[in-house]
């Protein structure tokens, strides 16, 4: 996910970045994340940003359960909670508070509050709690010396205590039984809730135990639009309001999310032909998964051979260039397509007539011109493009990708998309974003917070909404937000047959919440639910930053904490080593293993002198070794200093490089949608005179460090085709011009489409202009085809060699080794022995001879896939049996096998 750059941490790691939305978009939202799984970042540790104080006063008091209130800054003397009913002229009341102590259970549940004064609710007043929570609520205190204090009250804890046990297992949203729908919404603090159905108002009944409001409808309600009319105290505006709001559990929507629709996803009319007995490709264990990350619109919007450009149905165009390419990747060993968010978002106008377009001839400008970005930016606020990290309704497909956004076409067509991908051998992963909402408070794009104000969002100690995730953060640690996450994922799995989920900013979720998702999926069976939930894969961004950092509020779903769960986290260790530097370097020319550090230095002083370059390169090689093991914490090897170390003892900017307990805990990648594409990063870092052929070879070598690792690996769609975004480091809002994938090499690879948008890139324009103007950096078709074919050869080797999918850490330790690692290791070359295979990564501009004396006399040969592949340079790699010497050409990864 993305946003403005965060300050780098004290340990020299960069904060989690990737701007997906910024002020001035439609929501004035800003995304700040670490380039992890999607881009190039590490877990940030900078202080979290937060929204400006909301409402007439701060909320320093927190009512954590029916018995206890915590008040930051209060005196340890008596206090009270004063409440009004929220109705004009109606009497209020009070709950008396006396100084108290937190129980051990309360301290465990609210560790970030344990240092603040605690108060006990007078037992005589506890029966007033449910009434008090349905109107204005303040904490007041009068001290003996005449001073007084008043503050607002945060209520999520007490709502969970009072209502959570009875609400957590309830079915919400529209639920059909024998054709009749029941509509249910959780709104425990509301004074009243009514249903606005197709223009008329229908009363709803409240269940006082759960706080759920329900109404049972008639068969003819099916397909009709509805909203809830929620009368509730809204602290952000300091008054009682009646909000007209859509259903958080919507299953279908009208265009632009104006109304929810009463829709049964099990309605046979919504099932495309063959849906009920859809045959999926064989499930691939996560540890062996090879994943293509793909934005739905990027895939087809400029594909002239697609009949449905920019739509779900583009994945049904079996003869399009894009589908042919995906099919070739699937045949080579790619197992999943990871779709960037395709749920309902708040940003893009869904009706095509409302979508703006650049109003100029973009192709007419020079490759280093400012004009393209100026024109694209001019229409960005109303165009059809956004990455989609702006959730509005979590469990409805985005309407702008449908042939008709008004109604259920999006449901049918999303299902047809899944069918289309499954039909060419690819399973489908959804990128899900439950860590924030598009807006909070009374904003029109706020859904959850207008139904239960102050509950679903994560609040800081002063009552403001946390925005460390970029936007209005949610609180999955609260019962009903955690339930929404689980319920939503299960719906996508059952009703849309999604095969996996990638959690955006997963470290902002409690580990328990993600494990609850895993448990709920595991319970799905083909006989009862139509899917085998145990075969659904889960992974996410386990960055540790913001207000939840270091397990401050709960045990987080971070890299370290998720080890051993079978749920993978993106690993930034090898990614940084292979590329070099970090995503926020002032000088983007800082080099790494595959970008010429020490072995082909560029002119940047940021790389240091030759001695510093050599030392950094060797350390990068240790990081890559750990990455090739699957980031195992306990894997033991000899590092480049000659020391016997564990993966956890190798330093990564002050953190352990190895953190995984088993293969499959860490997901490897060299690039993703955040920050510069791999091609663009290499454009910056390699000496400008590097030939197109050598650039392509180094691109393949960089991709190989992930593709040939233990555990899952991901690559950005088009990277095998040398995809460029014209050096745009943050293209969330850069439109089709900078983002579209060009499957036909005759259309170029995207490089030289003008200077990237100024908002996130202008400081790099002095570096960009000479590169974009250089025609040698726009590869020709043979170069593009050669890179793609070489990458597919690596996928075939991975898919056909069981040694790349070892099941346990012990197996990795016994079968994988780096026989030439140590003080005499060759800078720029890695040699890995894996069972009967030997893999040599030669990132230098010279042929390299790697002699493994222990293998002398043993017969090895270049792997037949490469020996008979299209890359004739790699085919010249050789082995001398008498000495155990492997000879590998420049800029080449070669795989040898024992005969």
């Amino acid at each position: 996910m993305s946003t403005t750059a965060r300050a780098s941490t004290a340990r020299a790691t960069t904060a989690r970045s990737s701007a997906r939305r910024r002020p001035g978009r439609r929501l004035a939202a800003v995304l700040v994340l670490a380039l992890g799984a999607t881009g190039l970042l590490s877990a940030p540790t900078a202080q979290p940003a937060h929204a400006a104080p909301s409402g007439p006063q701060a909320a320093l008091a927190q009512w954590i359960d029916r018995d206890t209130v915590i008040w930051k800054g209060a005196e340890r003397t008596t206090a009270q909670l004063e409440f009004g009913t929220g109705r004009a002229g109606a009497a209020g009341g009070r709950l008396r508070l006396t100084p108290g102590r937190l129980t051990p259970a309360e301290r465990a549940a609210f560790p970030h509050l344990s240092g603040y004064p605690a108060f006990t609710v007078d037992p005589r007043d506890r029966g007033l709690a449910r009434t008090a929570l349905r109107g204005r609520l303040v904490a007041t205190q009068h001290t003996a010396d005449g001073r007084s204090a008043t503050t607002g009250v945060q209520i999520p804890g007490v709502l969970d205590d009072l209502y959570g046990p009875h609400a957590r297992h309830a079915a919400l949203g529209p639920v059909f039984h024998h054709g009749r729908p029941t509509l249910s919404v959780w709104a425990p603090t509301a004074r009243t809730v009514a249903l606005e159905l197709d223009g008329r108002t229908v009363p709803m009944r409240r269940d006082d135990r759960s706080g759920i409001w329900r109404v049972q409808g008639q068969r003819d309600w099916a397909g009709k639009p509805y909203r809830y009319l929620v009368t509730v105290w809204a602290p952000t505006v300091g008054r009682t309001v009646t909000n007209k709001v859509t259903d958080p559990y919507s299953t279908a929507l009208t265009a632009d999310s104006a109304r929810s629709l009463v829709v049964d996803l099990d309605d046979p009319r919504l099932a495309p032909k063959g849906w009920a007995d859809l045959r999926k490709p064989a499930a691939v264990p996560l540890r062996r998964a090879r994943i293509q990350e793909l934005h739905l619109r990027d895939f087809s919007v400029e594909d002239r051979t697609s009949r449905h450009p920019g739509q779900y149905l583009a994945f049904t165009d079996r003869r399009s260039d894009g589908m042919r390419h995906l099919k070739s990747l699937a045949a080579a060993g790619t197992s999943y397509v990871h779709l960037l968010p395709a749920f309902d978002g708040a940003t893009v106008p869904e009706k095509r007539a409302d979508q703006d377009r650049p109003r100029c001839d973009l192709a007419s400008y020079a490759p280093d011109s400012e004009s393209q970005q100026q024109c694209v930016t001019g229409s960005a606020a109303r165009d059809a493009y956004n990455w989609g990290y702006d959730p509005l309704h979590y469990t409805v497909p985005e309407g702008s990708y449908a042939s008709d956004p008004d109604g259920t076409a999006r449901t049918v067509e999303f299902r047809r998309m899944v069918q289309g991908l499954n039909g060419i051998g690819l399973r489908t992963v959804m990128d899900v974003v439950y860590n924030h909402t598009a807006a909070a408070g009374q904003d029109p794009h706020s859904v959850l917070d207008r139904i239960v104000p102050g509950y679903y969002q994560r609040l800081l100690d002063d009552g403001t909404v946390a925005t460390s995730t970029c936007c209005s953060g949610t609180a999955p640690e609260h019962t009903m937000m955690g339930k929404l996450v689980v319920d939503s994922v299960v719906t996508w799995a059952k009703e849309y047959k999604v095969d996996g989920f990638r959690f955006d900013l997963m470290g902002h979720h409690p580990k328990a919440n993600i494990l609850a998702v895993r448990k709920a999926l595991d319970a799905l069976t083909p006989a009862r639910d139509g899917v085998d939930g145990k075969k659904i894969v889960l992974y996410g961004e386990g960055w540790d930053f913001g207000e939840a950092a270091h397990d401050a509020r709960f045990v987080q779903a971070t890299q370290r904490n998720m080890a051993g769960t079978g749920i993978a986290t993106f690993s930034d260790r090898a990614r940084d080593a292979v590329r070099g530097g970090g995503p926020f370097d002032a000088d983007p020319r800082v080099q790494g293993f595959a970008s010429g550090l020490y072995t082909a230095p560029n002119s940047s002083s940021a790389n240091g002198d030759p001695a510093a370059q050599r030392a950094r390169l060797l350390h990068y090689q240790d990081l890559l070794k750990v990455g090739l093991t699957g980031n195992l914490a306990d894997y033991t090897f000899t590092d480049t200093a000659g020391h016997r170390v564990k993966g956890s003892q190798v330093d990564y900017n002050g953190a352990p490089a190895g953190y995984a307990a088993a293969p499959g805990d860490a997901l490897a990648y060299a690039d993703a949608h955040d920050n510069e594409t791999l091609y663009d990063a290499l454009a910056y870092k390699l000496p400008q005179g590097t030939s197109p052929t050598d650039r392509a070879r180094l691109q393949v070598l960089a991709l190989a460090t992930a593709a040939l690792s233990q555990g899952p690996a991901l690559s950005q769609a088009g990277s095998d085709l040398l995809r460029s975004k014209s050096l745009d480091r943050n293209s969330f809002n850069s439109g089709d011009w900078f983002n579209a994938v060009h499957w036909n090499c005759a259309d170029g690879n995207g490089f030289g489409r003008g200077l990237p948008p100024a908002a996130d890139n202008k400081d790099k324009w002095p570096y960009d202009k000479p590169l974009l103007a250089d025609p040698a950096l726009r590869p020709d078709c043979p170069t593009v085809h050669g890179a793609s074919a070489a990458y597919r050869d690596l996928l075939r080797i991975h898919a056909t060699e069981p040694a790349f999918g070892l099941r346990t850490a012990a197996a990795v330790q016994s079968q994988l080794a780096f026989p030439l690692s140590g003080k005499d290791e060759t800078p720029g070359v890695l040699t890995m022995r894996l069972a009967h295979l030997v893999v040599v990564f030669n990132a230098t501009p010279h042929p390299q001879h790697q002699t493994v004396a222990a293998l002398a006399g043993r017969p090895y040969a270049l792997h037949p896939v490469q020996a008979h592949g299209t890359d004739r340079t790699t085919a010249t790699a050789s082995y001398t049996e008498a000495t155990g010497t492997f000879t590998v050409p420049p800029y080449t990864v070669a795989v040898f096998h024992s005969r």
Side-chain angles (χ1 to χ4, degrees):
M1 203 178 119
S2 120
T3 158
T4 56
R6 247 182 256 274
S8 52
T9 70
R11 54 188 173 89
T13 188
T14 46
R16 149 115 179 149
S17 107
S18 75
R20 292 184 177 138
R21 297 174 287 293
R22 302 178 65 90
R25 183 60 172 164
R26 299 173 186 89
L27 304 176
V30 179
L31 292 179
V32 186
L33 295 74
L35 197 191
T38 78
L40 274 187
L41 302 153
S42 304
T45 60
Q47 292 297 315
H50 60 82
S54 59
Q57 59 188 3
L60 301 176
Q62 301 195 38
W63 195 354
I64 64 170
D65 57 42
R66 68 191 74 195
D67 300 330
T68 308
V69 174
I70 296 173
W71 186 347
K72 179 181 180 180
E75 300 286 340
R76 295 187 182 275
T77 184
T78 58
Q80 60 187 8
L81 298 179
E82 297 179 357
F83 64 91
T85 64
R87 292 179 293 185
R94 65 173 185 166
L95 289 82
R96 289 161 288 188
L97 307 176
T98 57
R101 295 179 180 274
L102 296 181
T103 66
E106 288 171 333
R107 288 180 179 276
F110 301 93
H112 60 298
L113 302 178
S114 60
Y116 299 148
F119 297 85
T120 299
V121 178
D122 191 308
R124 295 169 294 177
D125 298 335
R126 289 174 188 166
L128 298 172
R130 294 174 188 268
T131 300
L133 288 164
R134 298 177 71 186
R136 181 174 183 268
L137 183 64
V138 296
T140 62
Q141 187 175 64
H142 303 279
T143 61
D145 59 3
R147 290 180 293 117
S148 62
T150 302
T151 188
V153 182
Q154 300 182 35
I155 59 175
V158 69
L159 290 180
D160 281 347
D161 185 32
L162 290 174
Y163 298 105
H166 296 287
R168 67 193 320 155
H169 300 299
L172 299 176
V175 176
F176 282 74
H177 185 65
H178 297 305
R180 293 187 62 186
T182 296
L183 291 149
S184 305
V185 61
W186 188 67
T189 62
R191 298 298 309 171
T192 62
V193 179
L195 180 71
E196 182 188 79
L197 179 76
D198 199 23
R200 61 192 177 95
T201 301
V202 181
M204 300 181 74
R205 296 182 61 182
R206 171 189 166 97
D207 173 23
D208 288 334
R209 296 186 309 160
S210 65
I212 293 172
W213 298 75
R214 293 187 178 91
V215 61
Q216 186 176 40
Q218 303 300 318
R219 290 176 180 271
D220 64 359
W221 284 20
K224 291 186 176 179
Y226 72 97
R227 292 186 298 186
Y228 296 122
L229 307 181
V230 183
T231 301
V232 66
W233 174 263
T236 56
V237 293
R239 58 186 172 86
T240 297
V241 297
T242 298
N243 288 320
K244 296 183 177 182
V245 60
T246 48
D247 192 339
Y249 275 73
S250 293
T251 54
L253 296 161
T254 62
D256 293 320
S257 314
R259 300 287 192 281
S260 303
L261 290 171
V262 183
V263 166
D264 181 4
L265 293 178
D266 292 328
D267 187 335
R269 291 172 295 182
L270 303 184
K273 183 179 179 181
W275 182 249
D277 54 358
L278 175 64
R279 298 191 61 165
K280 287 188 167 291
V284 175
L286 183 58
R287 70 179 186 279
R288 289 196 63 91
R290 291 299 177 263
I291 304 164
Q292 280 275 297
E293 182 207 59
L294 178 61
H295 183 270
L296 201 150
R297 186 173 174 88
D298 291 354
F299 171 67
S300 62
V301 71
E302 290 197 6
D303 184 349
R304 292 186 297 274
T305 65
S306 175
R307 293 181 293 116
H308 305 91
Q311 298 182 39
Y312 297 117
L313 292 179
F315 294 91
T316 67
D317 295 333
R318 297 286 291 269
R319 297 180 181 179
S320 72
D321 288 343
M323 285 298 283
R324 287 175 184 270
H325 192 77
L326 288 185
K327 187 175 182 179
S328 73
L329 289 171
T334 296
S335 41
Y336 293 87
V337 162
H338 159 156
L339 294 170
L340 265 65
F343 51 74
D344 181 57
T347 306
V348 172
E350 291 185 340
K351 297 177 182 177
R352 285 173 179 73
D354 296 335
Q355 296 169 355
D356 201 357
R357 293 178 177 273
R359 300 171 186 176
C360 50
D361 183 2
L362 294 169
S364 69
Y365 302 119
D368 61 341
S369 171
E370 298 180 21
S371 298
Q372 294 96 326
Q373 64 86 31
Q374 187 175 31
C375 188
V376 167
T377 301
S379 61
R382 294 290 299 174
D383 69 3
Y385 196 87
N386 193 272
W387 277 350
Y389 294 89
D390 55 344
L392 193 53
H393 297 90
Y394 286 115
T395 322
V396 181
E398 163 62 21
S400 65
Y401 300 136
S403 60
D404 181 358
D406 203 5
T408 56
R410 61 178 84 184
T411 296
V412 177
E413 291 171 8
F414 190 105
R415 289 169 167 174
R416 290 188 64 190
M417 174 182 68
V418 172
Q419 283 180 310
L421 286 167
N422 289 173
I424 60 170
L426 292 166
R427 292 167 76 91
T428 308
V429 171
M430 273 192 73
D431 196 329
V432 289
V433 187
Y434 299 108
N435 64 81
H436 64 258
T437 52
Q442 287 296 108
D443 188 287
H445 286 116
S446 171
V447 175
L448 297 170
D449 210 25
R450 287 195 293 147
I451 294 175
V452 192
Y455 176 82
Y456 285 100
Q457 315 298 151
R458 181 175 296 141
L459 305 180
L460 301 179
D461 290 347
D462 62 357
T464 56
V465 176
T467 58
S468 65
T469 60
C470 84
C471 310
S472 300
T474 61
E477 65 270 28
H478 299 161
T479 299
M480 298 304 284
M481 184 62 212
K483 170 184 168 62
L484 175 57
V485 172
V486 174
D487 290 349
S488 177
V489 169
V490 168
T491 298
W492 286 112
K494 286 180 58 176
E495 302 294 350
Y496 293 94
K497 301 188 180 182
V498 172
D499 305 296
F501 298 89
R502 175 267 191 191
F503 284 83
D504 185 70
L505 290 189
M506 190 169 70
H508 272 57
H509 288 255
K511 176 181 179 179
N513 179 233
I514 302 301
L515 293 180
V517 170
R518 178 75 273 169
K519 182 179 180 180
L521 291 174
D522 288 348
L524 302 179
T525 66
R528 186 181 62 247
D529 307 294
V531 296
D532 186 348
K534 290 185 172 65
K535 293 180 179 177
I536 293 173
V537 299
L538 298 180
Y539 57 94
E541 295 180 300
W543 319 125
D544 184 14
F545 71 99
E547 71 287 342
H550 312 309
D551 298 334
R553 294 177 175 234
F554 43 78
V555 176
Q556 301 163 263
T558 51
Q559 289 172 323
R560 175 175 58 87
N561 291 340
M562 296 307 291
T565 64
I567 299 167
T569 55
F570 284 92
S571 173
D572 39 8
R573 279 68 164 151
R575 178 207 64 195
D576 287 353
V578 74
R579 293 171 66 120
F584 303 116
D585 294 332
D587 184 340
R589 297 174 296 172
V590 178
Q591 294 175 289
F593 178 79
S595 58
L597 181 63
Y598 182 66
T599 62
N602 59 32
S603 60
S604 174
S605 60
N607 286 305
D609 62 24
Q613 291 190 40
R614 186 180 190 277
R616 185 155 56 90
L617 176 56
L618 290 173
H619 182 65
Y620 279 164
Q621 290 178 201
D622 284 337
L623 289 174
L624 285 167
K625 293 168 199 167
V626 176
L628 288 164
T629 73
N631 268 90
L632 294 176
D634 291 336
Y635 178 83
T636 304
F637 69 104
T638 301
D639 68 11
T640 51
H643 301 135
R644 197 70 181 163
V645 297
K646 292 182 177 181
S648 60
Q649 293 172 317
V650 177
D651 177 71
Y652 173 69
N653 298 324
Y659 64 83
D665 286 347
L667 183 146
Y669 67 110
D671 78 338
H673 67 274
D674 281 334
N675 293 12
E676 295 90 354
T677 68
L678 179 58
Y679 185 86
D680 288 346
L682 294 177
Y684 278 130
K685 297 171 188 296
L686 290 169
Q688 190 168 347
T690 305
S691 71
T693 298
D694 286 346
R695 290 180 183 276
R697 298 191 68 78
L698 283 165
Q699 176 110 352
V700 173
L701 186 144
L703 292 170
T705 62
L708 299 182
S709 69
Q710 299 292 319
L714 174 145
S715 65
Q716 182 176 195
S719 281
D720 64 306
L721 299 171
L722 310 182
R723 179 186 182 184
S724 168
K725 296 182 183 178
S726 206
L727 302 175
D728 191 347
R729 65 166 297 273
N730 185 23
S731 66
F732 79 100
N733 196 23
S734 300
D736 301 327
W737 179 254
F738 289 100
N739 281 289
V741 180
H742 304 283
W743 302 110
N744 187 332
C745 62
D747 296 327
N749 70 331
F751 196 84
R753 291 171 79 85
L755 286 166
D760 289 299
N761 300 281
K762 192 171 185 178
D763 61 327
K764 299 297 189 296
W765 280 3
Y767 300 103
D768 298 347
K769 287 182 73 70
L771 296 174
L772 294 172
D774 186 351
L777 270 75
R778 294 191 285 281
D780 59 17
C781 281
T783 302
V784 170
H785 289 156
S788 183
Y791 176 67
R792 293 198 302 274
D793 283 348
L794 296 176
L795 291 177
R796 289 188 186 94
I797 292 171
H798 175 272
T800 56
E801 294 290 351
F804 286 109
L806 300 177
R807 294 174 178 269
T808 66
V812 175
Q813 185 70 65
S814 66
Q815 297 190 54
L816 189 155
F818 302 98
L820 300 181
S821 186
K823 291 182 178 180
D824 298 326
E825 185 166 341
T826 306
V829 184
L830 266 178
T831 299
M832 176 176 73
R833 185 180 179 187
L834 176 62
H836 66 289
L837 304 172
V838 172
V839 185
V840 180
F841 301 85
N842 178 13
T844 76
H846 309 290
Q848 293 292 340
H849 309 281
Q850 297 284 286
T851 299
V852 184
L855 299 182
R858 299 189 184 185
Y860 279 87
L862 189 65
H863 198 285
V865 170
Q866 289 187 315
H868 304 294
T870 57
D871 183 355
R872 302 322 299 161
T873 299
T874 298
T876 67
S878 62
Y879 171 70
T880 304
E881 184 174 332
T883 58
T885 299
F886 300 86
T887 300
V888 178
Y891 300 148
T892 296
V893 55
V895 182
F896 299 84
H897 75 123
S898 59
R899 291 176 292 177

